[in-house]
């Protein structure tokens, strides 16, 4: 069967399934030979396999996002590398020490704590990972409620966390841990959980001579791309079959990186062609424009609905993606902060990717573990309002109560109706919550997730509703932070 390349970007935001999208396309003659019967009798992966993509952005951008990603909503990011040894300032430590504009405090830290002839490469032998237990990590991620995890395979320092053929003495099997850090976590996650496994990969390396030569020539040469970046990308895909490729560090045009060539192979012929998801960091000018889902910038959270799937990647440590020994307790986001980010992100159509930075010896420190487990506790009660939801068509943030965010999900008993969830970030004064967006009908009912099937007292107003929260002692609350109202049979 020959099928014309199709463009369905406008349908990619929040479909519960690809079937409605494909039926629209079939009836609109966007593709040839694809009947409604064929669509209904074939899986999403069979449909994705039936299309061939060409190495240009129009074609690459037309690929539908595999639906698992939009349903997942919450993932864990892991920044781990040689920078975890000095563990000072951030994962950009090497650049801040010896880059074009060194930071005085980093230079002073090195001068006061290491010999004058110390090099960054000397840190690698101290990247020991002797406490690294990938099974424990996998169990923790499962307890957090995360549906996908993204591990740093290589950051801008160039150190590979797998035994790559393209960096013979600067990888985790050759020096330091003497272990395949990527492979061990991939196996643990897949054997112990149903979490999707992804890999972060930096396209460039600060001090690689080939990169420096290419960039100094204004990319008239491409020694680094063909000798390092592309071979590594093909290698990690074929070795580990990641569900996500999280590309980063793209200070050069996409044509230099050959990004569309790689992505066409990834979507057409790779072992993960039907399930893999990618982000938008594939070269200068690609962010918020090309690729798969949009990240746009670190900590991107627009606060309004975006007409494209997007992700809010953020860190528990406000100032670093890697572990820092010089952090203070006030530097870490609270569980209330994190639930606010999760609610606003999912309400506006995004996913939240939350970062932790392990130590050089392979530990996830208690404050990170506590936050992850707290999110998991909350999702165990309120996950219905997060997983597989879509933005409510009426409002994301309530028009009166600024601390309330909405999500929606198809009603199990209706083909067209939706249940609406109000995520309330703080308990209302006097136990009465006034909402401006919902309109009640005579059949509207409101319950609180985790509080059984007990219907809450509801009063209709001219504009909105008033909901009476139950009088509960602290130990009887459904959860400790942020409460969710489920509203059925609203009038809007």
């Amino acid at each position: 069967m020959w099928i014309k390349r199709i463009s369905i970007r406008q349908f990619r935001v929040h479909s519960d399934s690809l079937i409605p999208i494909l039926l629209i396309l079939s009836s609109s003659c966007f593709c040839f030979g694809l009947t409604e019967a064929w669509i209904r009798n074939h899986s999403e992966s069979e449909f994705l396999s039936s299309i061939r993509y060409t190495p240009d952005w129009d074609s690459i951008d037309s690929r539908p996002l595999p639906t698992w990603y939009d349903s997942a909503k919450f993932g864990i990011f892991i920044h781990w590398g040689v920078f975890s040894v000095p563990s000072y300032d951030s994962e950009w430590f090497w650049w801040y020490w010896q880059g074009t504009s060194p930071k005085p405090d980093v230079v002073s830290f090195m001068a006061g704590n290491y010999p004058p002839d110390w090099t960054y490469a000397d840190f690698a032998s101290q990247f020991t990972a002797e406490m690294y237990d990938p099974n424990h990590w996998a169990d923790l991620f499962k307890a957090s409620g995360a549906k996908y995890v993204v591990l740093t395979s290589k950051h801008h320092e160039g150190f590979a966390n797998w035994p790559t053929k393209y960096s013979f003495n600067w990888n985790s099997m050759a020096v330091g841990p003497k272990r395949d850090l990527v492979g061990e976590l991939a196996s643990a996650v897949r054997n112990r959980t149903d979490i999707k496994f992804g890999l972060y990969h930096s396209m460039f390396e600060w001090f690689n001579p080939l990169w420096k030569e290419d960039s100094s020539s204004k990319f008239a040469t491409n020694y680094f791309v063909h000798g390092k970046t592309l071979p590594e990308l093909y290698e990690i895909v074929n070795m580990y079959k990641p569900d996500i490729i999280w590309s980063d560090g793209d200070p050069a045009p996409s044509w230099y990186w050959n990004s569309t060539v790689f992505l066409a192979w990834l979507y057409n012929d790779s072992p993960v062609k039907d399930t893999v998801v990618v982000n938008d960091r594939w070269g200068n000018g690609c962010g918020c424009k090309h690729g798969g889902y949009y990240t746009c910038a670190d900590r991107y959270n627009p606060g309004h609905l975006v007409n494209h799937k997007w992700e809010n990647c953020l860190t528990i440590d406000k100032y670093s993606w890697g572990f820092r020994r010089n952090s203070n307790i006030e530097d870490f986001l609270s569980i209330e902060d994190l639930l606010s980010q999760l609610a606003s992100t999912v309400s506006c159509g995004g996913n939240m990717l939350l970062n932790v930075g392990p130590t050089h010896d392979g530990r996830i420190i208690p404050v990170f573990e506590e936050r992850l487990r707290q999110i998991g506790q909350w999702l165990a009660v309120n996950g219905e309002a997060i997983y597989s939801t879509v933005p409510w068509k009426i409002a994301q943030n309530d028009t009166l109560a600024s601390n309330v965010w909405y999500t929606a999900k198809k009603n199990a008993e209706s083909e067209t109706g939706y249940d609406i969830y109000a995520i309330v970030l703080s308990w209302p004064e006097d136990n009465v919550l006034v909402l401006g967006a919902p309109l009640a009908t005579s059949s509207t009912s409101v319950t609180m997730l985790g509080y059984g099937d007990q219907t809450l007292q509801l009063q209709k107003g001219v504009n909105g509703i008033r909901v009476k929260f139950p009088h509960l002692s602290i130990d009887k609350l459904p959860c400790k932070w942020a409460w969710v109202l489920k509203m059925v049979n609203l009038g809007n």
Side-chain angles (χ1 to χ4, degrees), residues 323-335:
F323 171 69
R324 285 189 307 140
R325 288 181 291 165
N326 60 319
S327 60
N328 298 307
I329 192 63
E330 62 269 17
D331 295 340
F332 300 106
L333 294 176
S334 67
I335 182 58

Side-chain angles (χ1 to χ4, degrees), residues 215-237:
S215 58
S216 64
S217 74
K218 297 183 179 179
F219 310 113
T221 59
N222 54 15
Y223 302 120
F224 181 73
V225 174
H226 291 291
K228 196 69 161 57
T229 299
L230 284 177
E232 286 180 344
L233 283 169
Y234 287 113
E235 185 178 54
I236 61 175
V237 171

Side-chain angles (χ1 to χ4, degrees), residues 272-474:
V272 291
K273 59 188 176 66
D274 299 331
T275 57
V276 71
V277 174
V278 305
N279 64 346
D280 57 347
R281 302 187 185 191
W282 295 97
N284 280 346
C286 287
C288 262
K289 184 176 181 182
H290 293 306
Y293 61 86
Y294 292 168
T295 62
C296 301
D298 292 348
R299 303 174 181 85
Y300 176 68
N301 189 355
H304 58 80
L305 190 60
V306 176
N307 191 31
H308 191 99
K309 186 62 190 181
W310 59 278
E311 182 180 75
N312 174 11
C313 60
L314 72 160
T315 65
I316 296 178
D317 181 341
K318 302 173 188 177
Y319 305 108
S320 176
W321 298 82
F323 171 69
R324 285 189 307 140
R325 288 181 291 165
N326 60 319
S327 60
N328 298 307
I329 192 63
E330 62 269 17
D331 295 340
F332 300 106
L333 294 176
S334 67
I335 182 58
E336 291 85 358
D337 295 329
L338 295 175
L339 291 178
S340 176
Q341 286 287 328
L342 180 63
S344 59
T345 296
V346 175
S347 176
C348 296
N351 281 17
M352 187 174 88
L353 184 63
L354 182 63
N355 180 76
V356 297
T359 61
H360 77 281
D361 55 7
R363 292 172 295 115
I364 295 176
I365 62 173
V367 67
F368 291 154
E369 179 169 352
E370 180 186 54
R371 295 294 184 273
L372 296 185
R373 292 190 182 278
Q374 287 173 328
I375 293 176
Q377 292 166 13
W378 188 85
L379 285 169
V381 175
N382 301 294
E384 178 183 341
I386 298 295
Y387 304 125
S388 300
T389 59
V390 297
W392 188 26
K393 64 181 180 179
I394 301 300
Q396 280 68 63
N397 197 197
D398 188 68
T399 54
L400 295 178
S402 61
N403 66 334
V404 175
W405 294 89
Y406 294 103
T407 61
K409 184 179 290 184
K410 279 189 176 180
N411 185 291
E413 300 177 358
S414 170
E415 292 187 3
T416 58
Y418 280 81
D419 297 332
I420 307 304
Y421 301 91
I423 304 172
V424 185
L425 298 178
S426 57
W427 194 274
E429 293 185 12
D430 301 322
N431 289 349
V432 176
L433 179 65
V434 180
L435 298 174
L439 298 179
T441 67
S442 58
S443 60
T444 297
S445 66
V446 180
T447 57
M448 179 179 290
L449 296 188
Y451 188 56
D453 296 326
Q454 299 183 55
T455 301
L456 303 187
Q457 183 179 335
L458 171 67
Q459 181 180 351
K460 293 190 290 184
V462 177
N463 294 305
I465 60 175
R466 294 166 59 91
V467 180
K468 181 74 171 179
F469 273 43
H471 290 275
L472 296 173
S473 58
I474 292 178

Side-chain angles (χ1 to χ4, degrees), residues 45 48 63 66 68 196 242-244 271-277:
S45 63
L48 291 174
R63 179 181 183 257
W68 73 259
K196 300 287 188 179
D243 298 297
I244 296 176
V272 291
K273 59 188 176 66
D274 299 331
T275 57
V276 71
V277 174

